[in-house]
Amino acid sequence: MANHIEGRVLRRGDYRYESLRRDACWHAGVPDRYPEVIVLANNEDDVVGAVKLAGEEDLQIAVRSGGHSWSGSHLRDGTVLIDLSNLRHVTVDKEAMTGTAQPGIKGSELNSMLAEKDLFFPTGHCTGVSIGGYLLQGGFAWAGRDYGPACMSVTAIDAVTSDGERIHADETRNADLLWAARGAGPGFFAVVTRFHVKLYPRKRITMNSGYFWPASAARDVYGFVHEIGRQTPTEINLMCNRDPMTNDEPLISLNATAFTDTEEEAREQLSVFESCPAHAHVLTTRLNEVTDTATLSRLGTDPHYDETKHYLADNMWTHAAFDDLWPNFEAMLKTWPPAPSHMVLYNWGGHEGQPERPPMAFSVEDELYYGLYAAWSDPADDRKYTDWVTNHMRAWEPYASGIQLADENLVNRPYRFVSDENLRRLDDLRATWDPHGLFVSWLGGPKPGADAAGVSGMRRKRTVDP
Ligand SMILES: Cc1cc2nc3c(=O)[nH]c(=O)nc-3n(C[C@H](O)[C@H](O)[C@H](O)COP(=O)(O)OP(=O)(O)OC[C@H]3O[C@@H](n4cnc5c(N)ncnc54)[C@H](O)[C@@H]3O)c2cc1C
């Protein structure tokens, strides 16, 4: 019954229900899906109460930590929405290099707490994202190439199961639930109330260089990043978006960030970008600036995410040759949506020294990551930009090895986000942990039998061995 719950319990039609529902989604494109009840949990007992309430009222359960799911996956009809944004407690044990964090804390907040103690955790590139949804779906982080998907650094979880039991899952107790929590994302079938994590020493130097080109240089710049992306230890963020620097035509910007212990090492790493074949056409540069991830988020990434706009995201992992991607990209450049719509290309995997992956649900990744994000103001444009993003990502499917749940567009384009084997195991575990199907699962879901799709015909990009 709702009287077990200390936090707010709002039902459809209640005063403030609609503002809480809208606030649960970070951008203006709030989906037309209506939970029956929203529980704003104050503590872990409230989560137990909310799970029991769902069982009593024959409703399903959806969970929200920070509401940064692009598709608003947590907003579902016929559910109790358990909102964990007030569960924000963090502990740090510097000696043991471990910590705990509740799901409502934002990655940026966690990292600034850790920075004061010279520690680091691989949190996401934007300021607002909470760790709940971020860690469950994988976690594509600052310096992520050095640490792997952030869920690899989760050593245990505290969770509330579908029968309202509070449990702990680690490598020895309830190990299958920990396995699932590392990558199931919105398909997870329990409520995580606390993550136990490994912490790392903070590298002394974060150094960033930026290069900016007109779209006419796109083919050379993207070809270069496809060539060197795997070899360089530096994190590369190649972005395309309309910008005043190019009179609102698409601009290509390369942001390279080195995480090192000495300035010399960082400068050495960043010098590789001087050899980009498009160097002669560069509009402007910012070279070798010593900075930190909070500043990089604030000045570099955050301005592309405006909560007053409607957004749609989609993405792919690939190791394709850029020549194969170029025809679709060339077509996109001619019809690029208004700012702050953008596309990012990150180098990610396949490099020397990449950390070994533990057994975990997260199982699809590749050398390069493309994320495509359309942003618009007028709801009348919903179809136009949904089609623009979805159709352009669909055109790249022959070159994709899968997608990342971080930027999923499963409603419009179901695609492979875990291996078929892991998908089967997740389904089996769901049947065990949530036998009555209380928890909602992926919105739209994976493409069945998708292991066979895409990758087989992909022409590998040429590689330059170090
Ligand atoms: C502006 C922006 C920037 C982003 N940048 C990055 C980035 O740099 N790297 C990256 O990897 N991702 C990034 N993302 C994607 C983001 O990590 C995912 O959307 C993630 O799900 C957001 O976490 P959240 O807690 O805010 O999600 P929510 O929207 O609250 O949750 C998403 C889903 O996760 C599940 N869930 C959340 N919390 C829990 C819990 N405690 N227990 C059980 N299930 C839960 C629910 O099924 C829910 O539907 C970004 C998204 C946005 C909008």
Side-chain angles (χ1 to χ4, degrees), residues 111-133:
N111 231 332
S112 59
M113 287 177 206
L114 295 174
E116 286 170 18
K117 297 177 191 298
D118 256 346
L119 295 172
F120 180 79
F121 184 78
T123 55
H125 296 90
C126 287
T127 300
V129 180
S130 291
I131 64 161

Side-chain angles (χ1 to χ4, degrees), residues 24 26-27 62-70 72-76 84 103 123-142 185-193 195 305 346 373 404-407 439-441:
W26 81 278
H27 63 95
V63 186
R64 177 215 184 215
S65 289
H68 270 62
S69 156
W70 298 93
S73 181
H74 51 290
L75 287 179
R76 304 290 184 98
L84 304 172
T123 55
H125 296 90
C126 287
T127 300
V129 180
S130 291
I131 64 161
Y134 167 82
L135 285 177
L136 284 169
Q137 50 88 16
F140 191 87
W142 286 116
F188 192 57
F189 29 80
V191 188
V192 180
T193 54
F195 294 91
Y305 305 105
Y346 277 97
Y373 313 82
Q404 191 177 191
L405 286 171
D407 298 328
F439 284 89
V440 298
S441 188

Side-chain angles (χ1 to χ4, degrees), residues 211 213 217-232 236 238 254 256 269-279 321-323 345 347 368 370 461-464:
Y211 296 80
W213 287 276
R219 198 167 183 175
D220 281 346
V221 179
Y222 277 78
F224 174 71
V225 171
H226 272 240
E227 291 293 321
I228 64 143
R230 183 163 66 92
Q231 279 78 33
T232 174
I236 303 171
L238 192 57
L254 188 157
Q269 277 189 26
L270 294 176
S271 65
V272 66
F273 300 100
E274 298 292 308
S275 63
C276 176
H279 203 271
F322 183 67
D323 282 352
L345 163 60
N347 58 337
L368 298 165
Y370 276 86
K461 68 184 165 58
R462 276 183 296 134
T463 51
V464 184

Side-chain angles (χ1 to χ4, degrees), residues 27 35 38 61 72 85 88 106 124-125 163 224-225 264 268 270 305 366 375:
H27 63 95
I38 303 177
I61 296 171
S85 51
R88 298 165 42 80
K106 298 191 185 312
H125 296 90
D163 54 8
F224 174 71
V225 171
E264 290 79 16
E268 168 63 26
L270 294 176
Y305 305 105
D366 208 331

Side-chain angles (χ1 to χ4, degrees), residues 197-208:
V197 297
K198 273 187 228 168
L199 301 175
Y200 302 94
R202 180 166 287 265
K203 295 265 174 64
R204 238 179 39 77
I205 302 295
T206 301
M207 190 181 277
N208 176 272

Side-chain angles (χ1 to χ4, degrees), residues 40-234:
L40 199 50
N42 274 359
N43 50 49
E44 282 154 295
D45 287 340
D46 279 2
V47 177
V48 174
V51 169
K52 291 193 169 155
L53 176 72
E56 283 159 12
E57 301 205 5
D58 205 16
L59 295 169
Q60 281 194 291
I61 296 171
V63 186
R64 177 215 184 215
S65 289
H68 270 62
S69 156
W70 298 93
S71 60
S73 181
H74 51 290
L75 287 179
R76 304 290 184 98
D77 292 330
T79 58
V80 172
L81 172 63
I82 308 181
D83 187 323
L84 304 172
S85 51
N86 289 334
L87 268 60
R88 298 165 42 80
H89 187 244
V90 172
T91 64
V92 176
D93 182 341
K94 187 166 180 179
E95 212 169 301
M97 298 297 277
T98 59
T100 69
Q102 288 195 297
I105 195 80
K106 298 191 185 312
S108 46
E109 294 170 326
L110 176 63
N111 231 332
S112 59
M113 287 177 206
L114 295 174
E116 286 170 18
K117 297 177 191 298
D118 256 346
L119 295 172
F120 180 79
F121 184 78
T123 55
H125 296 90
C126 287
T127 300
V129 180
S130 291
I131 64 161
Y134 167 82
L135 285 177
L136 284 169
Q137 50 88 16
F140 191 87
W142 286 116
R145 299 172 81 236
D146 294 337
Y147 302 98
C151 63
M152 273 176 60
S153 299
V154 174
T155 54
I157 54 168
D158 296 338
V160 177
T161 61
S162 64
D163 54 8
E165 196 190 339
R166 286 173 67 164
I167 62 157
H168 181 81
D170 59 24
E171 299 279 5
T172 53
R173 278 170 294 172
N174 302 311
D176 54 0
L177 198 65
L178 175 64
W179 177 90
R182 289 170 167 162
F188 192 57
F189 29 80
V191 188
V192 180
T193 54
R194 195 176 298 271
F195 294 91
H196 298 249
V197 297
K198 273 187 228 168
L199 301 175
Y200 302 94
R202 180 166 287 265
K203 295 265 174 64
R204 238 179 39 77
I205 302 295
T206 301
M207 190 181 277
N208 176 272
S209 287
Y211 296 80
F212 302 84
W213 287 276
S216 53
R219 198 167 183 175
D220 281 346
V221 179
Y222 277 78
F224 174 71
V225 171
H226 272 240
E227 291 293 321
I228 64 143
R230 183 163 66 92
Q231 279 78 33
T232 174
T234 304

Side-chain angles (χ1 to χ4, degrees), residues 35 69 105 146 181 195 210 241 243 250 316 362 367 373 379 387 418 420 446:
S69 156
I105 195 80
D146 294 337
F195 294 91
N241 61 293
D243 191 276
M316 72 168 176
F362 186 95
E367 291 175 13
Y373 313 82
D387 287 350
V418 290
D420 281 359

